[in-house]
Amino acid sequence: MTIQLDVLQTAGLAALLFFMGSKIKSKSNFLQKYFIPAPVIGGLIFSLLAFIGVRNNLYSFEMDSVLQDFFMNVFFTAVGFECSIYIVKKSGILGMKLAVVAILLLVFQNLLGASLARLFGINPLLGVAMGSVSMSGGVGSAVAFGPDFEALGAAGGTAIGTAAATFGLLVGSIIGGPVAKRLIEKKNLKTNENLKNEETTTSEKTVLNKASFLKSFLLVVLTGALGSIISLLLNKTGLKFPYYVGCLFAGAIVRNIADYKNYELKPEEIGTISSFSLNLFLSMALMQLNIAKIVSLAIPMFVILLSETLLMAIYAYFITFKTCGSDYEAAVMAAGHCGVGLGQTPNAIANMTAVTEKHGPAPTAWFVLPVITVIFINIFNPIIITAFMNILS
């Protein structure tokens, strides 16, 4: 029996799975601790049920993916608005050093993944899917690039990348603390004594204005339309760029024009647009995962993902720490880099919080690492992935 869902029914199911995932997450300390997104929880449960139905010839689903693509492109357009040259300049030399470190890691993650994939005799693009696509990129990047990999012959690219990204969310929060602990104890690092007794608290309550929010949403949509043109121009270079890369660039262009012209954007509104677009996009994508492909590649996946974890720990310990100053702040940034290099920004913040709560504040690390890694990973990861995709295909 094949159950066909039209565009609205597909969106409704995605919403239902998001609510279900949120409810399950609210009851689980484990899921909250490792920042597993609600749509990932609901989507994976549904995809498992769908897998059981197909495997036993009981039922299958056919869904309309039009809104999935729409929300994906809206999300990446909104992400582009975070890429401010002004903020990068404000982070100074340390920020630029960290940016180089973060970008180089993307290359190493893909080289490692592709090399091990070849060793196992599987498509090297699946190794890239388990590299910077899912590690530094996260679930959103894995789902976005998956169809492009599959179109190039890497069967199961979406499912493999999503499983890898979920694994990264777990281990990214596990290894950061031990890396920082080892650095702090071995090198006898201490926080600035003048900061120990300082305490800053902020309490902000943002109320969204309907008219203002509508303007922000329309600006994001209009920017996404500009991104579609940029995407067409990029593909005329002879390289294959995913559609959403143009949307990402368009968001960055509009953001920096707004900064230059002193036009006030509404970051809380654009952030809200980004959040609901990502949640619906992930729910729709994950409920259609090919679980069978994950099962068939269990051993190669385990080896590759374990290797990526070791790479991140070693890289943060030796490269991130040394490049960022070899002091206490650098140790905190190393912990944060483990979080964002294998998971997402919340993982990085959680890692740094765990370190600073025990060993003292690190204000420079708090400002520089989340901002710089978000900006440069979001901009350069799609470009680097695209380069690997064109070379390996």
Side-chain angles (χ1 to χ4, degrees), residues 5-17:
L5 303 179
D6 63 21
V7 61
L8 192 56
Q9 291 167 339
T10 302
L13 177 58
L16 177 63
L17 294 175

Side-chain angles (χ1 to χ4, degrees), residues 46-277:
F46 182 84
S47 63
L48 283 170
L49 293 174
F51 169 69
I52 293 170
V54 172
R55 179 59 65 92
N56 294 282
N57 295 318
L58 297 174
Y59 53 83
S60 62
F61 292 89
E62 289 185 4
M63 306 179 196
D64 192 309
S65 61
V66 171
L67 281 181
Q68 176 185 324
D69 294 337
F70 171 76
F71 283 119
M72 176 181 72
N73 291 312
V74 169
F75 164 67
F76 280 104
T77 302
V79 168
F81 278 84
E82 298 176 355
C83 304
S84 169
I85 293 175
Y86 169 76
I87 293 177
V88 173
K89 286 182 177 179
K90 191 175 178 182
S91 68
I93 298 299
L94 178 59
M96 296 309 299
K97 288 181 178 179
L98 182 60
V100 172
V101 167
I103 293 168
L104 285 176
L105 176 65
L106 305 176
V107 177
F108 292 142
Q109 285 177 329
N110 289 334
L111 286 173
L112 177 61
S115 299
L116 290 175
R118 285 190 184 278
L119 187 64
F120 279 105
I122 62 177
N123 193 312
L125 288 177
L126 292 178
V128 178
M130 290 180 272
S132 77
V133 175
S134 53
M135 297 292 99
S136 292
V139 180
S141 178
V143 174
F145 268 99
D148 294 301
F149 289 155
E150 291 166 0
L152 294 172
T158 304
I160 297 298
T162 303
T166 304
F167 174 87
L169 286 169
L170 297 177
V171 297
S173 291
I174 293 173
I175 70 169
V179 166
K181 182 177 185 294
R182 172 69 174 170
L183 286 168
I184 291 169
E185 292 180 352
K186 182 178 180 180
K187 300 180 183 297
N188 194 29
L189 305 175
K190 298 184 183 299
T191 185
N192 186 333
E193 292 294 328
N194 295 326
L195 296 172
K196 275 191 174 181
N197 297 319
E198 290 185 10
E199 182 177 353
T200 58
T201 58
T202 58
S203 178
E204 295 183 3
K205 184 177 180 180
T206 303
V207 178
L208 294 180
N209 177 278
K210 288 187 290 185
S212 177
F213 183 80
L214 175 61
K215 290 180 181 178
S216 293
F217 180 73
L218 294 178
L219 175 62
V220 172
V221 172
L222 181 60
T223 303
L226 171 63
S228 69
I229 298 173
I230 294 175
S231 182
L232 290 173
L233 294 175
L234 287 173
N235 281 294
K236 288 197 177 289
T237 62
L239 299 174
K240 180 177 175 56
F241 284 87
Y243 189 92
Y244 77 77
V245 173
C247 298
L248 183 69
F249 285 168
I253 291 169
V254 172
R255 166 61 188 270
N256 286 283
I257 290 174
D259 287 349
Y260 180 74
K261 295 291 185 180
N262 292 319
Y263 177 80
E264 184 182 2
L265 297 172
K266 302 290 186 180
E268 69 280 358
E269 295 174 357
I270 294 175
T272 300
I273 294 166
S274 173
S275 179
F276 76 66
S277 297

